[in-house]
Every structure is written in C-alpha cells, then in structure tokens.
Amino acid sequence: MGLYATAAAVLAGVEQRQGSLKSLVYSSSFQNVKQLYALVCETQRYSAVLDAVIASAGLLRAEKKLRPHLAKVLVYELLLGKGFRGGGGRWKALLGRHQARLKAELARLKVHRGVSRNEDLLEEKSRPGQACQVPRFVRVNTLKTCPEDAIDYFKRQGFSYQGRASSLEDLRTLKGQHFLLDPLLPELLVFPAQTDMHEHPLYHAGHLILQDKASCLPAMLLSPPPGSHVIDACAAPGNKTSYVAALLKNQGKIFAFDQDAKRLAAMATLLARAGVSCCEIAEKDFLTVSPSDQRYSQRLVYSTCSLSQEENEDVVQEALQQNLGTFRLAPVLPDWPHRGLSTFPGSEHCLRASPETTLTGGFFIAVFERGDVVPSPVPQAKAAAPEPLSQAPKRKRRCKVAAGASTQPGT
C-alpha cells in the first residue's frame, strides 16, 4: 500500500485496539517508517479538527467511495501537512475538487473559535501528553476457557484481582499488577493502560482476545442464541466475529463478508486460533447480497469505529426514513453515559463511546428491530448487571459492521 492508504489502515487499527500506534506502524511493512509515523501521529493529533472540517465541507457525502480514515489523512496533508508526497497522484486530484471548500471551512472554524494558528485549534486533551489513557481490555474466549480459570491463572502469575468494577473511576485508577472484571461484560478483564499482552501465552493459545470494550458491544447487543444464523457484513479482522461465535457456542452459522483478501486471511488465522468452527468466510461485498433474503430479516446491529456524524446518526436516520414502519431503533443500555447526537427523534437510543466518556476506543452502535417482529429481550438493566440480547445495516464499508441475524436457522 502507499503512504496514505497505510496511514489510514494504522489509524483504523488504533481505533479498533489492534495495537499501539507505534506497533502498528512498525508492523505495516511500509518502507519509510519515520515518514509514516509522523503522518499518523499528526493526523491523530488533529483528529477532532479534521472531523469538523470534513463534516462541514460535506466531503464524505460528495465522495461516497472515500473512507473516513483515508479522508482524514488526505485532508491533513492538504490543509495542515507539507502537501502531497510524490505528486499525490489520484488523491491530489480528488482532493483538488474540494480544496476551496475545505480551506474555507478551516478558516471558518478558526474565526468561530477566535484563533489564528492551526495549533490553537487543538483542545487541551489533544495536545501531546494530554490524551486519555484507555485501559487494556482482555476478553476471555469462552470457546476455550472461562473467566474464573483466566482470573486464577493471572493471580498465580502475580496479578492482584480486585473483583468486579463498580464504576468508570475504578477502571481509570487501575495501576501496576491490579486487574478487574468489567462491570458490563462478564467475559471482559480490565488491566492498566500500559499492560502489554501481545506475547502472553494465553493470547497466543487463543484463550484471550485483545479487544476494546466498545468493540465487544455489537456482539453483546446482538447476543444470538445458539443455533442462530448471523451475518457479519464487514467482518475482518475478526474480533467481533469470534465473540459472536463464543456467544453461539459454535452452534449455528456465521456468514462473514469482507472485500479485503489480506484482512480475510488474517481473520481466518485469528478464528482458527480462537477455536471458531461455525464461520463461513466470503470474499464478497455484502451490499451485493439480496436484501430480501430472509436470513437477514430479524435484528440488525449497525456499528462503526468512527465518531463522525455522517457515518453514524446520518446513516441511521436515512435508513429509518427509507424503511418507515419496517425497522425501529431498540432502546438499549439506558445507563450507558454517551448517547447518539440529537440530530433526529430517537437518536438517544444509539450508543457512542470514546476515551473521554467511556474509557474505550471511539465507537458508535445502533440496534434495529423489525416493526413486525416480537421484540427479543434487549438489555435494559443497570450497567453492572446486563443481559445480552440480538443484530445492523451497513451503508459504507468501514471498520466492521455486524449486519444481520435471524434468531432461528433457516428463517
């Protein structure tokens, strides 16, 4: 991949908690590591500013095939960086069509905030050293072990188990060798932010999955009973898919779609290590699948690893408007602190996640139910004692979306 595509892939990987920024850069196989690292760091630092400019300029609406992470990298290079490297090729031509509008929106943002320098647009938390520390979340793979055995193992390794967390503050103050059980997900262990599990023997054996808490929510909110058929519309790299398989207890079927052959190969390795045997992988665009197929007709969970309104609330609102009376938003996790933006009636049923508000990666989730289907149990309990539930549509192919489930095989 070229510089900009690689940088976009690294940013997506960081949001999905696939690794640290530095580890993803160094494992990217891009030849000029220093150049890539600098571009990714600066793009990430200006992330909120770039999101605002891109949204105001309507770039993603105008260029529907342009993915958000790549758009962010390209707009950084155009407005805040050193200009396109190596001539910029097709990306320079693409951004050139929107250059005047993007520059105008950046200037307008400066006027609105009363600043004159790009650096002054950064919020305090976006400046070096001020970023919120997200804990290390570790999901116990129940296809191979159970939380109790994993906890006992870590205790024997010298870690101090502090029990189930009762608040975000418990997670925020974790230090040293202490760890907790997450207050919402019973399979999720929580360690201090800098804990590195990539070389842990239980991780290599597939007993542990390194997965951010927000990334676990789509499968938990879907919660298909064993025997269900589940469709994962943008499945790679496979963490959510493996969690769905664990909830299914490998009983039923997961149809996993993705268009990226390289990511699918990595996903196949992950699923094999996790002991997943109920998944059928297809290198195919899920949008080419017939929407009338009854396998996709019950509950939908739409999720993105993005905080962009255009990818989230705007997509949900459009989906509801195009399917009036067919689907409705299910109210889920009422105690979750970060809700959807107030852009349409019912948006409060959507969930948002971010390092600042939920101590997780950035994420968005909406649960759709068919209007003519008797609602299945949706988690309404307090965050400390949730109950799982059942799956979401997809318009743009981004990080990963669990895109549909039938509660009974063959229906």
Side-chain angles (χ1 to χ4, degrees), residues 219-242:
M220 185 273 280
L221 291 172
L222 173 62
S223 193
S228 297
H229 287 176
V230 178
I231 294 85
D232 199 338
C234 191
N239 281 337
K240 298 186 192 70
T241 315
S242 69

Side-chain angles (χ1 to χ4, degrees), residues 13 48 77 92-93 98 165 189-190 197 200 206 217 228 239 255 325 367:
E77 196 76 311
K92 183 176 181 180
H98 307 278
L189 305 180
V190 191
M197 293 284 183
H200 198 282
L217 291 178
S228 297
N239 281 337
F255 300 94
V367 179

Side-chain angles (χ1 to χ4, degrees), residues 154-155 157-163 174-175 177-180:
F154 281 113
K155 288 164 66 175
Q157 297 300 307
F159 286 86
S160 176
Y161 178 54
Q162 305 295 296
L174 266 179
K175 293 181 180 179
Q177 294 287 96
H178 295 83
F179 73 107
L180 292 159

Side-chain angles (χ1 to χ4, degrees), residues 69 71-72 148 163-164 174 217 276 279 319 382 406:
H69 289 104
K72 193 177 293 188
E148 293 77 16
R164 181 186 290 274
L174 266 179
L217 291 178
V276 175
C279 186
K382 298 282 185 181
S406 64

Side-chain angles (χ1 to χ4, degrees), residues 48 83 91 101 111 207 213 217 231 245 296 350 399 411:
W91 301 127
R101 181 65 183 274
V111 171
H207 289 68
K213 178 177 178 176
L217 291 178
I231 294 85
Y296 317 144
C350 303
C399 292
T411 62

Side-chain angles (χ1 to χ4, degrees), residues 339-356:
R339 316 303 297 191
L341 301 179
S342 301
T343 57
F344 64 93
S347 63
E348 69 276 5
H349 296 322
C350 303
L351 305 182
R352 280 175 163 258
S354 69
E356 295 74 29

Side-chain angles (χ1 to χ4, degrees), residues 224-287:
S228 297
H229 287 176
V230 178
I231 294 85
D232 199 338
C234 191
N239 281 337
K240 298 186 192 70
T241 315
S242 69
Y243 192 12
V244 171
L247 294 173
L248 290 173
K249 300 179 181 179
N250 262 340
Q251 300 170 26
K253 197 74 173 178
I254 302 173
F255 300 94
F257 295 83
D258 206 282
Q259 297 184 78
D260 191 316
K262 185 176 179 180
R263 284 164 58 86
L264 280 177
M267 175 181 172
T269 301
L270 182 152
L271 295 181
R273 186 174 66 214
V276 175
S277 60
C278 63
C279 186
E280 181 179 305
I281 296 176
E283 185 182 339
K284 185 177 181 181
D285 183 355
F286 179 72
L287 295 181

